[in-house]
Amino acid sequence: MVHLSYIVFTCATVPACLAVALAWPSRWHLNREPLRCASAVALGYSAAVGYAVALAASSLLANSSTKLLGKHSSGSIHPLSWLLMLPYHVGLRIKLGVQRLVSTEPLYDHVLPGWYIGGWPWSGSELPSDAPSVLDCTCELPRTHRNRYLCLPVWDTQAPPAALIERGVAFALAERALGKPVYVHCAHGHGRSALLLIACLLESGHVGSWEEGLALLKAARPRVHLNRRQRKALDAWARSRLGATGSGGGLQMQALSAGGVVPAAAAAAAAPPSLTTAVLRRGSVSSAGGGAASDGGAGDPDGGACVHLLADSRGESALPSSTALSVSYGLSSGASGVLLQAAGSLPLAESIRSAGSHISAAAAAAAAAAAAAAAAAAGALENGKKLS
């Protein structure tokens, strides 16, 4: 797989040469030939945009330059980016459109029940009919639908850092725990999306190794391919998870009845959540947005397990309705507290003590209620009991 920087650099060199060819013979008389002058400027600007993208997408800057194209966490692209980076946006759309016309590959493929991998949908109508939650691995393409959504901005042919992989896995497994299918996509559904989906299948226990996951994806979508950078990043993440979880790691999802779990805390909450699912995750869990983290202590028999309680937000003005809340409660003595995350977008993971500036009091109370339930679930786990 050729590096995106090389491709864009080569493409940008074409208008750069044309601009020089137009300007050089009449370098002292451009003011007398406005059409030639305008053409030279347009071609030169297109080349400059291409060179900027090529530099930003290089391995040196890729992890810190994904905001260059103006894509927000909501999936929209800033209007100023459309204006300033227009040559790249137009060129990318033309490339995708031509490839879509000539390719015999479907937009997406069904890998396992509840799991899809595919390319960027031009509209929401192109998504699977069962309204999947969407995990978007692109930094260059806008959101075109209203499904539940998480954006993990990654340059084409590059690999996401471990923190982004963690965010993507947490979002996807939370959505699956709520019974929703998940659609993982990049531009074509070959590289970035394959890496994230393999990580999700590893963490959920569907495959035993990333090599097995890659073989599974290739069987469903033959053009899936991970380049050297992506294989290295996935292997490092898988090894870190294996080291944190041991041979019995992964996620375990069990139903949790809300009846009688946290009556006192629920009464204090203005809009208490309806607890539906508990997700036990063994090993260290780092926050999605640089917040606090829960890490297992050396003497923790559960390896720093965390219980994620999934709930529905009801009537909460600070958070969208029907947003899934995930509260992780560290079981180890070294746990740093409670994290509140919006699983529908996961833009932040703030500790409960500082949540007042980000969410309303009702949402904070709801998080406290879920944390109390997590403590009860932790006690059951430590006693070797099964979550009810």
Side-chain angles (χ1 to χ4, degrees), residues 146-315:
R146 300 179 63 86
N147 295 36
R148 292 166 66 85
Y149 176 83
L150 174 67
C151 177
L152 298 180
V154 183
W155 284 106
D156 195 9
T157 72
Q158 290 289 354
L164 283 190
I165 297 178
E166 285 286 333
R167 287 182 62 192
V169 169
F171 169 79
L173 294 183
E175 296 300 297
R176 290 297 299 128
L178 293 174
K180 297 187 68 64
V182 175
Y183 180 84
V184 188
H185 82 82
C186 52
H188 303 288
H190 296 161
R192 293 168 287 181
S193 56
L195 188 157
L196 262 297
L197 182 52
I198 292 171
C200 293
L201 297 180
L202 264 173
E203 191 76 354
S204 60
H206 286 92
V207 296
S209 66
W210 70 263
E211 293 90 349
E212 181 184 346
L214 181 58
L216 177 65
L217 264 61
K218 280 182 171 291
R221 194 171 179 84
R223 296 183 186 177
V224 162
H225 174 76
L226 299 183
N227 60 31
R228 178 182 55 82
R229 292 176 298 277
Q230 292 165 341
R231 288 171 180 262
K232 183 178 179 180
L234 182 57
D235 184 66
W237 179 85
R239 289 179 182 276
S240 70
R241 292 300 304 143
L242 181 63
T245 61
S247 59
L251 285 174
Q252 302 171 5
M253 301 185 185
Q254 301 163 313
L256 175 67
S257 172
V261 176
V262 284
S274 173
L275 301 176
T276 57
T277 308
V279 180
L280 168 62
R281 183 174 191 178
R282 299 186 180 277
S284 62
V285 179
S286 56
S287 65
S294 299
D295 298 316
D300 180 13
D302 286 318
C306 287
V307 175
H308 298 264
L309 297 182
L310 304 178
D312 288 332
S313 171
R314 297 168 182 258

Side-chain angles (χ1 to χ4, degrees), residues 63 66 72 151 230 275 319 341 349 370:
N63 288 339
T66 53
H72 300 297
C151 177
Q230 292 165 341
L275 301 176
L319 293 171
Q341 300 173 326

